[in-house]
Structure formats: C-alpha cells, structure tokens
Amino acid sequence: MPLTVTQLENGLLVEGVQDFSLSQILDCGQCFTFSKLDSADPLTETWHGTAGGRYLKIAQRQDGALLFYNTSPALFEQFWKSYFDLDTDYAHIKSILSQDSVLAKATQYAPGIRILRQNAWEALCCFIISQNNNIKRIRGIVERLCQSFGEELEHGFFSFPAPAVLAGCCVEDLAPLRCGFRAKYLIDAAQKIHSGEIDLQAIAVMPLAQARSELMKIYGIGPKVADCALLYGFYRLECCPMDVWMKRVFAILYPNGLPDCAKDYIGIAQQYLFHYARTCPQAFEPKQEVLKPTPQEVLKPTPQEVLA
DNA sequence: ACCCAGGCGACGA
DNA sequence: TCGTCGCATGGG
C-alpha cells in the first residue's frame, strides 16, 4: 500500500503505514535516544528524541497514521522515511518468518517492530555502552553523553558528540557519564575513527566478516557489540547479536539453530525474538512450560517408589 | 543484601 | 583454543 503524505500546518501526516508501532520500534532495545511523552489524547502516542543529529517529535494515531511534527516533505523523503525503514515490506518478511511456529508467535506478539536505519557512529557508541548493562541505564548514559559533549538541538535534546570531541577526552573527562569501565572503550573508538584508522564509510561496503573484524580492532568491541553495530548502524540484516537473552532463546527454543525460513532476515528475526524473550518472560521461562509436570506425572510413582 | 544486565579483555591451563 | 574472573554502576 502506498504512503499518503499530507502537509499540515504543524507537520506532515503520513497515512497508509502498515506493520508499524512507534512504541515497539523505539522501545525494543535497538535505540536509546527517544522517549515517550505523556499524552492528553489516549488515542495517540507521542515520542520525541534524536537521530542523525536531528530532533524529531512524532505521534501515531490509533488508526496507525503518523504525524511528523515540524517536518517538511523534503526532510521526510530524505531522512525519516529511510530511518524508519518505511520502504521495506514487513508484512512479506513476517509471512516468511511465520512458517516457523515460534517466530509466528514472536511476530504476532509485537507486529509493529521495524529495524531502524541508524547512524553508524551513534549506534556504535550506544552498543559499546550496552555491554554488561541494562536498557534503562543505557538510556541514561547515552543521554548524559549527548548532554555533556553534543550540541544542543531543541527541547533540551542534544546531538551525539562527534568522534573528534571524544577523541580529545580522557577517562576522567567522561566521569559525568557514570559509564564505568566503558569510558576507555568509547575514547578508543572515537580516536580510531577520528584518526581514520577505522573508516566507517569503508566498513559499510565491506564483506561481513571483514567489516566485523575491522570493528573488533576497537578496544572493547567484541563479537556481540560488532554485530549490534553492523545490524543497527549498517543495516546488515544477516547479523544476529548473541546477548544473554538470545542465548536463552537458542538454548530453550532453537537448540539446532534458527529455521531455514529465517535465513534471509536473521537480524529481523533476532529482533522479534529478543523483544519477545525480554518482555514476555512467561513464554520463555524453562521451569514453567518445560519442566512443570503433567497431572499424570504427578500421580505416577517416582522411580524411587518403583524400586522400593 | 543480593543478583543481574543487549560483554569484553586479561590471564592461566 | 577454552574456561574463568574482574570490571563500574545501578535497577529490581
């Protein structure tokens, strides 16, 4: 279905958007720079935040239509349409993934998830911060990073600091972030990128294995953070970041790996499964579904009783 | 108080 | 090459 774009006095109305939920997209662990506004209107939800050095306030009506506040048609076409991945047919992708029963459940649980096309440097910073951390605290550290070293945009929001800014910092300079041992990792990433030793533009067009090993030259970037940067910062859908949640998913639901139907969209499948595992734990806890005895088993004598 | 969080580097076997 | 441990901080 084609999008219908209408210019209003306060922004841009975009109708015909399918398979899109603001809260699912912005709160599923791929992005840490948007926050939900308290809305007087229960029929809409409104978020605001930053991406690529731009501030955006955006609302979604209950019928699915989107309102991009203070956004020109040109800016929508050039930036936000791509950022929200609106040219990708998620209905098609979900229909393929749903050939597998678990993925069918995970996609139905949060059918409005999309993979954002984020700025590579910003995603890299966020996922350096993410290691051995929780999403709530990641948001706070990212916010302090931008407030402390970025440039003010609008409404108290700040851009990400450029690599050059962090490259000139020492660990003590980053103390206000309260990011712990990750400060030295951020600085090394900034220095290698600012000096040109690591070229994000070049990584964007490298074969995956080479891109991955290039990112892992940064002190503090291992396989998982590299995969997150590649998936979210470079839109490499063939990456499947393996964090503690996805390790649970594989241990419990996919001991033999993902099914064949996921092979072209592993990164997207990963996002549905990650969100499902993290926010719907009762669907995943091994103890309840897997180990709970059936009524027959409760009545059956134990092996010890049989042997007695 | 305790365990855990979108891990990683250092170290020893 | 593989397991194990410490790391900063704070949420639940």
Side-chain angles (χ1 to χ4, degrees):
Chain A
M1 182 187 300
L3 300 181
T4 306
V5 178
T6 310
Q7 201 164 3
L8 306 178
E9 68 277 4
N10 60 343
L12 214 61
L13 182 66
V14 179
E15 296 171 289
V17 178
Q18 304 292 324
D19 312 295
F20 188 111
S21 160
L22 264 186
S23 58
Q24 288 169 19
I25 290 167
L26 296 174
D27 212 12
C28 72
Q30 64 176 319
C31 171
F32 309 97
T33 56
F34 279 83
S35 56
K36 192 173 184 174
L37 287 163
D38 296 321
S39 175
D41 179 0
L43 296 183
T44 66
E45 57 173 282
T46 305
W47 289 70
H48 67 165
T50 69
R54 294 176 175 85
Y55 169 83
L56 176 68
K57 180 180 172 186
I58 179 172
Q60 182 168 34
R61 298 195 314 221
Q62 201 164 51
D63 68 2
L66 299 173
L67 178 60
F68 291 76
Y69 286 90
N70 301 317
T71 302
S72 69
L75 184 58
F76 173 73
E77 289 294 331
Q78 289 161 18
F79 188 79
W80 295 114
K81 187 177 177 184
S82 161
Y83 179 76
F84 284 106
D85 204 19
L86 291 176
D87 289 319
T88 299
D89 184 353
Y90 279 78
H92 172 68
I93 293 169
K94 285 187 288 183
S95 75
I96 290 174
L97 294 179
S98 294
Q99 293 168 21
D100 174 74
S101 63
V102 173
L103 272 165
K105 274 189 220 163
T107 56
Q108 286 160 23
Y109 176 73
I113 285 180
R114 285 170 177 258
I115 301 292
L116 296 168
R117 294 182 188 253
Q118 300 182 64
N119 174 273
W121 163 243
E122 295 177 8
L124 190 60
C125 286
C126 288
F127 285 95
I128 286 172
I129 291 165
S130 78
Q131 67 174 268
N132 196 258
N133 212 340
N134 60 68
I135 288 177
K136 169 101 180 189
R137 201 164 80 95
I138 295 165
R139 287 179 176 280
I141 294 171
V142 170
E143 183 178 6
R144 293 190 290 276
L145 173 67
C146 295
Q147 281 174 354
S148 304
F149 300 101
E151 293 178 15
E152 186 158 14
L153 300 172
E154 299 171 50
H155 300 94
F157 281 82
F158 291 76
S159 66
F160 264 78
V165 176
L166 293 187
C169 290
C170 61
V171 168
E172 296 75 47
D173 294 329
L174 299 198
L177 307 189
R178 306 198 303 277
C179 67
F181 58 85
R182 305 164 191 86
K184 53 189 181 289
Y185 302 158
L186 287 172
I187 291 168
D188 189 65
Q191 289 177 346
K192 287 193 165 77
I193 289 163
H194 180 239
S195 72
E197 182 180 344
I198 302 266
D199 182 349
L200 297 180
Q201 307 255 34
I203 287 173
V205 294
M206 282 179 191
L208 188 70
Q210 190 186 350
R212 204 163 180 253
S213 65
E214 197 64 18
L215 287 169
M216 287 171 63
K217 289 179 180 173
I218 296 168
Y219 181 56
I221 295 193
K224 192 273 176 181
V225 172
D227 280 350
C228 283
L230 288 165
L231 175 59
Y232 302 115
F234 296 90
Y235 200 73
R236 291 291 189 103
L237 299 186
E238 61 270 48
C239 288
C240 184
M242 288 293 287
D243 75 315
V244 293
W245 295 102
M246 287 306 295
K247 283 174 185 169
R248 285 170 198 152
V249 168
F250 277 91
I252 297 165
L253 297 174
Y254 295 110
N256 301 315
L258 287 177
D260 283 345
C261 67
K263 67 181 185 329
D264 292 332
Y265 308 106
I266 292 169
I268 297 179
Q270 177 270 154
Q271 195 63 42
Y272 291 120
L273 291 167
F274 169 81
H275 185 249
Y276 187 44
R278 200 175 71 85
T279 63
C280 187
Q282 68 274 19
F284 267 80
E285 291 300 340
K287 36 187 186 269
Q288 286 145 15
E289 289 306 318
V290 180
L291 296 180
K292 188 170 65 180
T294 62
Q296 290 88 342
E297 283 169 343
V298 172
L299 295 174
K300 253 190 284 185
T302 66
Q304 288 78 9
E305 288 169 335
V306 172
L307 291 172

